[in-house]
Amino acid sequence: MAMGEFPDSLADVLAGVQRLIRRRLRAGLTAPPLRGAEVELLRLVVARPGIRVSAAAKELYLAGNSVSTLVNRLSRSGYLRRETAPEDRRSALLYPTPAACARLHDWEVRRSALVREQVARLSEADQAALASALPALRRLAHNLHEEAEG
């Protein structure tokens, strides 16, 4: 593969793997599927309970009104609880509900099992290649994150 093609191929493969994982995990769901941005917001709120809507928007690189729309949808679905910030009545603090925590835990368990199963199907050489690529992929993610911050 020519070096000029590599970045596009890498981006396509990463997006494709993520899309296929989401598609496989949607199969067998009893609840309506959540969109990618909804899952990202729930994961953030579970990791940082009490996060402000504005901070969540910044963290997820989304517009504030987009996050507000997601918060409204997830609140109606019973996955988020919104409280008014005591020091600023215009600001909302976000908290996960037990239903959100349970759904995310189930998703993480199922995702881990799916990826573990698929990696086990690969040859030892392919598994080693993927493992050796992880540090570079982490640096790529870090660089993307830093650039978005700046």
Side-chain angles (χ1 to χ4, degrees), residues 15-16 23 25-26 32 35 53 58 79 86 88 98 118 138 149:
R23 190 174 296 154
L25 292 177
R26 283 186 187 132
R35 296 181 176 134
V53 173
K58 183 178 179 185
Y79 294 123
D88 180 1
Q118 294 303 313
R138 283 190 185 102
E149 287 287 315

Side-chain angles (χ1 to χ4, degrees), residues 132-147:
S132 67
L134 287 176
L137 290 169
R138 283 190 185 102
R139 284 190 295 277
L140 175 62
H142 177 78
N143 290 347
L144 287 165
H145 183 77
E146 273 190 344
E147 192 171 285

Side-chain angles (χ1 to χ4, degrees), residues 27-91:
L29 281 179
T30 55
L34 297 174
R35 296 181 176 134
E38 292 171 325
V39 173
E40 288 179 34
L41 178 57
L42 283 179
R43 291 179 80 194
L44 178 61
V45 173
V46 166
R48 295 178 45 198
I51 190 169
R52 294 177 186 277
V53 173
S54 58
K58 183 178 179 185
E59 184 79 21
L60 297 172
Y61 306 105
L62 295 172
N65 61 342
S66 296
V67 173
S68 292
T69 299
L70 293 171
V71 167
N72 289 335
R73 193 176 314 137
L74 291 167
S75 295
R76 280 192 306 271
S77 298
Y79 294 123
L80 280 183
R81 186 170 46 84
R82 183 180 13 204
E83 291 183 9
T84 303
E87 68 281 355
D88 180 1
R89 308 288 301 160
R90 297 169 296 166
S91 187

